[in-house]
Amino acid sequence: MSRMILTLLLTLSLPLAAQIPVEDFAKSSQAYSVKLSPKGDRLALMTKVDGKQRVVILETQSRKLLHSIHFPMRAEVGSYYWASNDRIVVTKQYLKGWTEEPQYYGEMMAVDYDGDKPEYLFGYKQTKNTTGSRLSSGASAIRAWGFMIDPLPEDEDHVLINSVPMGVKQDKKATVFRVNIHNGKRKKIAYAPVSFAQFLTDARGEVRFVTGTDKNGEGQIYYRNKRGEPWTLFGSSDHRQGSVQPVAFASDHEVYVLDNTDASIQGLKKLDLTKGTSSLIYRDDTVDPSQTWLSVADRALYALELESGYPSYVFIDKQRPESRRLKGLLAAFPGQQVSLTSQTLDGKLAIVAAYSDTHPVSYYLFDTEKNSVSLLLNSRGWVDPKQSATVQAISFTARDGMTIHGYLTVPAGTKAKNLPLLVNPHGGPHGPRDYWSYNWESQLFASRGMAVLQVNFRGSGGYGLDYQMAGYRNWGSKIQYDIIDATQHLIDTGVANKDNVCIYGGSFGGYSALQAPILAPDLFQCAIGFAGVYDLELMYEVGDIPDYQSGVNYLREVIGEDSDNMKAFSPVYNVDKLKVPLLLIHGGEDERVPIEHAEELREALDKRHRAYQWLELDKEGHGLFNEENRISTYKTMLSFLDQHLAL
């Protein structure tokens, strides 16, 4: 008895493992988007200071701080590019008082790495704002959105900018300008014969290939042999039967494209622009390529990245130095995915990004001559991988025989048995998908003892055109049955406790968080809808999608126009079937899914005297952009889940 008491006292005196604070998950990464200058003597990265993005420039070897590019007042850096070894181009976005979501209006600025010679390059106004220094205003105003096509790092004086006219005209076509990064002077070098143009430059930085759509929505491909020549139509396709996406020039007259016009899965093809022929280089059995990797010096394609469960590479040119180096790095970082995210023009230095399901991205400096790798920084240095949850790729057979894929996050130190489960369907639904990675949101929930299920239901992107189109006009039915069947699969295999399951999602995921419990009222113990679509008909009336004819056409294709059908699959009209406790969260300035959706749902619940928890974020848009809002919102969600799950 005395030994038992002593053991108990010793046990009670041991400190309990401290729960990781919500702030550690919800706060922004301390650094990201790390890039080397073309010669490699300097590097830049993005970070946040006082909630605003800025670019920090360092001396590569000594890590000495050289300059910080930022905007005053309610503006911040959106993205940046090394346009030469000495000069950086940044985009400017605004933080409006009425919304937390940054607003981009197409403006670009350039500045030396040390802050000298700031210049307004492109935008709708001539400005005297600063980027840490006084801007000059050599560039004339242009009412257009500016997007970088190619920073031309081998050209010390110019960049290529895609200029899209402002306004609501549906068939507006882009113009390509060659812009001087020192004085903002621009010269038109190409125009787009199609709308929604995607331009491609060759190894010399010349714009010679473009894809887009005509006024009827038909996809078209054009090319030209050299600057100044008219565009030649190479081919066309119905977007419902696939599309062609340019990737890189394979030679002076050959182009690599991702093509799914003749098969569901995107295949890498080589188009011969002179012969008018194409040949298949590679096509996966399950997934589209998730990313293409090009060399810096000559823009040559050397690898495709695939994510069929876990990430992998297909090396298109195995003899390229990048291919050989990447193979060696993968062996040096077992269990992690590795990529060469930035390289010098001569290839002697590179930035290596490495991550896993338990480890956020870390950045390394790779000296290819010495074959040595040194740590630059950890993007989330406060994370202890030993405390992180693991992520498993899963697949199962849905009720109609279709194979569905997804991911299961399992809390650290636990077995995947009889766990509380949070089902987390992604947004979209068409285009986005979930991936194997360190996901701080899933890690937050797992740190509280929940397993997290992410389902790449039919309709998701990345698994081929047929897989995506299988979700069209099935938002409230087959897609939801995939989510329900995935949940039931984890229950049947003993992973999840059948009486301990909740569902949470944002945007389309918010729709699913309510629609799935409507179809399976006994499967879930609670539901959280964030920025959810709750009335399918309302999508034609409010938000930014119906502002454009292309948006209306999209809605007609993916949800249809049958009023009875839309009402049958809209939570607003089916609240009597909602039996679970609800938490509804919405941003007051959401332009994609306006708060009218949540207000309609609240009114319907009130009429039936249904209890629910309501959280309105006045200044947030279609997401959580303010860190303080992010932290407080997740604390509210965790409190709600704690009430309804046995954790």
Side-chain angles (χ1 to χ4, degrees):
M1 180 64 72
S2 62
R3 286 197 299 272
M4 289 177 60
I5 293 173
L6 178 61
T7 301
L8 178 60
L9 289 172
L10 288 172
T11 302
L12 292 174
S13 66
L14 291 174
L16 296 174
Q19 194 175 66
I20 304 172
V22 173
E23 288 80 357
D24 280 10
F25 298 99
K27 64 184 177 182
S28 302
S29 297
Q30 58 192 12
Y32 43 96
S33 189
V34 183
K35 302 177 186 179
L36 287 162
S37 65
K39 294 181 181 178
D41 49 344
R42 292 177 280 272
L43 64 85
L45 57 88
M46 292 198 74
T47 189
K48 281 192 173 184
V49 177
D50 297 328
K52 292 170 54 178
Q53 289 192 144
R54 63 172 60 194
V55 176
V56 175
I57 301 100
L58 306 172
E59 197 172 75
T60 301
Q61 298 302 330
S62 69
R63 313 292 197 269
K64 176 186 175 182
L65 175 65
L66 298 175
H67 186 57
S68 173
I69 304 174
H70 59 280
F71 291 103
M73 298 180 289
R74 302 291 293 178
E76 67 174 10
V77 175
S79 56
Y80 80 97
Y81 310 86
W82 281 103
S84 71
N85 197 62
D86 298 326
R87 203 147 173 84
I88 291 177
V89 171
V90 301
T91 63
K92 182 180 183 181
Q93 58 190 29
Y94 294 87
L95 301 169
K96 300 292 187 178
W98 47 267
T99 178
E100 299 289 357
E101 183 175 2
Q103 307 293 305
Y104 179 56
Y105 300 114
E107 294 178 276
M108 293 184 178
M109 286 77 180
V111 64
D112 283 357
Y113 72 90
D114 57 1
D116 284 347
K117 303 175 184 176
E119 181 72 40
Y120 188 84
L121 284 191
F122 191 90
Y124 68 100
K125 62 181 181 180
Q126 290 179 310
T127 181
K128 291 295 183 180
N129 288 343
T130 65
T131 56
S133 306
R134 176 65 61 182
L135 276 172
S136 60
S137 53
S140 58
I142 179 170
R143 289 193 57 78
W145 306 90
F147 303 97
M148 184 69 74
I149 295 175
D150 194 325
L152 303 176
E154 70 283 352
D155 183 335
E156 291 287 312
D157 300 313
H158 301 93
V159 295
L160 297 182
I161 293 177
N162 180 359
S163 171
V164 181
M166 289 183 173
V168 296
K169 189 177 179 181
Q170 296 304 312
D171 61 348
K172 53 190 177 184
K173 296 180 175 65
T175 300
V176 179
F177 287 106
R178 189 179 186 88
V179 181
N180 188 297
I181 59 176
H182 306 289
N183 57 29
K185 292 182 180 179
R186 55 183 177 266
K187 180 181 179 181
K188 176 182 174 180
I189 63 168
Y191 74 94
V194 287
S195 302
F196 306 105
Q198 289 181 283
F199 295 97
L200 184 68
T201 54
D202 63 14
R204 301 182 300 276
E206 294 290 341
V207 176
R208 294 184 49 217
F209 195 81
V210 61
T211 63
T213 58
D214 65 11
K215 62 182 180 180
N216 298 316
E218 186 177 76
Q220 293 190 328
I221 307 168
Y222 289 84
Y223 76 96
R224 63 184 187 180
N225 290 319
K226 61 182 179 180
R227 189 197 310 180
E229 288 190 357
W231 290 108
T232 299
L233 180 65
F234 183 86
S236 60
S237 63
D238 186 328
H239 76 280
R240 289 165 294 189
Q241 298 175 352
S243 62
V244 176
Q245 299 177 20
V247 174
F249 271 81
S251 69
D252 190 59
H253 64 280
E254 295 172 307
V255 175
Y256 286 119
V257 298
L258 293 176
D259 184 353
N260 62 352
T261 59
D262 60 345
S264 174
I265 303 294
Q266 283 183 335
L268 180 72
K269 291 184 178 180
K270 185 187 290 184
L271 305 184
D272 189 311
L273 300 175
T274 56
K275 297 179 181 179
T277 59
S278 67
S279 57
L280 180 66
I281 306 301
Y282 177 82
R283 178 177 279 124
D284 190 66
D285 294 331
T286 307
V287 293
D288 302 324
S290 58
Q291 193 160 349
T292 56
W293 291 97
L294 311 181
S295 66
V296 174
D298 56 2
R299 301 165 181 80
L301 174 69
Y302 64 87
L304 299 178
E305 189 169 1
L306 305 173
E307 308 244 10
S308 179
Y310 303 98
S312 62
Y313 284 105
V314 172
F315 293 101
I316 304 304
D317 188 343
K318 297 179 181 179
Q319 302 308 312
R320 292 284 310 190
E322 293 91 347
S323 297
R324 298 196 300 270
R325 292 163 185 164
L326 194 50
K327 289 179 183 179
L329 289 166
L330 288 167
F333 289 86
Q336 298 192 60
Q337 178 63 345
V338 180
S339 56
L340 298 169
T341 59
S342 176
Q343 299 178 72
T344 55
L345 282 173
D346 60 13
K348 292 180 180 179
L349 291 177
I351 299 295
V352 175
Y355 72 89
S356 73
D357 54 339
T358 60
H359 198 299
V361 177
S362 293
Y363 296 96
Y364 298 83
L365 182 65
F366 180 24
D367 187 320
T368 62
E369 291 186 313
K370 297 178 181 178
N371 199 31
S372 64
V373 176
S374 58
L375 178 66
L376 283 173
L377 57 92
N378 295 311
S379 63
R380 303 176 73 84
W382 54 87
V383 172
D384 181 358
K386 295 178 181 177
Q387 293 182 294
S388 296
T390 56
V391 182
Q392 306 169 10
I394 63 170
S395 60
F396 64 96
T397 303
R399 63 187 66 189
D400 62 355
M402 192 170 185
T403 300
I404 305 297
H405 309 275
Y407 295 94
L408 175 67
T409 301
V410 179
T414 65
K415 294 182 179 179
K417 292 291 182 183
N418 201 40
L419 294 171
L421 179 66
L422 181 64
V423 182
N424 182 211
H426 64 71
H430 310 302
R433 55 156 288 188
D434 289 312
Y435 298 89
W436 182 85
S437 67
Y438 179 91
N439 182 310
W440 67 260
E441 186 181 69
S442 296
Q443 292 287 340
L444 168 61
F445 295 123
S447 73
R448 269 56 180 175
M450 291 168 260
V452 180
L453 170 63
Q454 296 169 288
V455 187
N456 283 326
F457 43 75
R458 72 191 72 195
S460 301
Y463 293 90
L465 186 60
D466 291 346
Y467 196 90
Q468 178 171 307
M469 292 182 67
Y472 289 4
R473 303 198 180 192
N474 288 308
W475 284 23
S477 54
K478 291 182 180 180
I479 288 179
Q480 304 309 316
Y481 291 130
D482 288 346
I483 296 169
I484 292 166
D485 291 352
T487 306
Q488 192 62 52
H489 169 72
L490 294 186
I491 292 171
D492 293 344
T493 54
V495 173
N497 184 320
K498 67 180 181 65
D499 299 316
N500 216 13
V501 181
C502 283
I503 184 169
Y504 149 67
S507 193
F508 178 82
Y511 167 78
S512 297
L514 272 69
Q515 183 63 18
I518 287 173
L519 297 179
D522 299 322
L523 187 60
F524 304 98
Q525 278 64 58
C526 69
I528 302 173
F530 176 85
V533 175
Y534 304 128
D535 182 348
L536 296 182
E537 277 191 304
L538 190 61
M539 292 193 70
Y540 282 97
E541 301 173 17
V542 300
D544 58 3
I545 295 177
D547 285 348
Y548 300 92
Q549 187 59 47
S550 58
V552 174
N553 294 341
Y554 168 80
L555 293 176
R556 288 172 178 166
E557 185 168 24
V558 300
I559 64 175
E561 297 180 276
D562 187 311
S563 178
D564 291 338
N565 184 68
M566 285 189 282
K567 287 180 179 178
F569 294 112
S570 293
V572 163
Y573 299 102
N574 294 277
V575 295
D576 55 322
K577 300 175 184 177
L578 273 171
K579 307 299 184 184
V580 297
L582 299 174
L583 169 58
L584 303 176
I585 308 169
H586 220 102
E589 296 296 335
D590 192 335
E591 295 183 1
R592 176 54 48 90
V593 183
I595 198 170
E596 284 92 330
H597 282 269
E599 290 172 339
E600 275 196 9
L601 182 62
R602 179 174 61 176
E603 183 179 348
L605 291 166
D606 288 341
K607 284 182 179 179
R608 289 161 179 79
H609 306 288
R610 281 290 318 280
Y612 58 89
Q613 195 169 332
W614 175 268
L615 177 58
E616 181 176 340
L617 303 164
D618 293 339
K619 295 183 179 182
E620 287 288 3
H622 199 58
L624 288 168
F625 297 91
N626 180 286
E627 186 173 303
E628 292 181 1
N629 289 343
R630 201 155 55 234
I631 292 168
S632 62
T633 299
Y634 280 100
K635 286 182 177 179
T636 299
M637 291 168 59
L638 289 174
S639 176
F640 177 80
L641 292 168
D642 190 48
Q643 294 175 43
H644 303 289
L645 289 177
L647 301 176

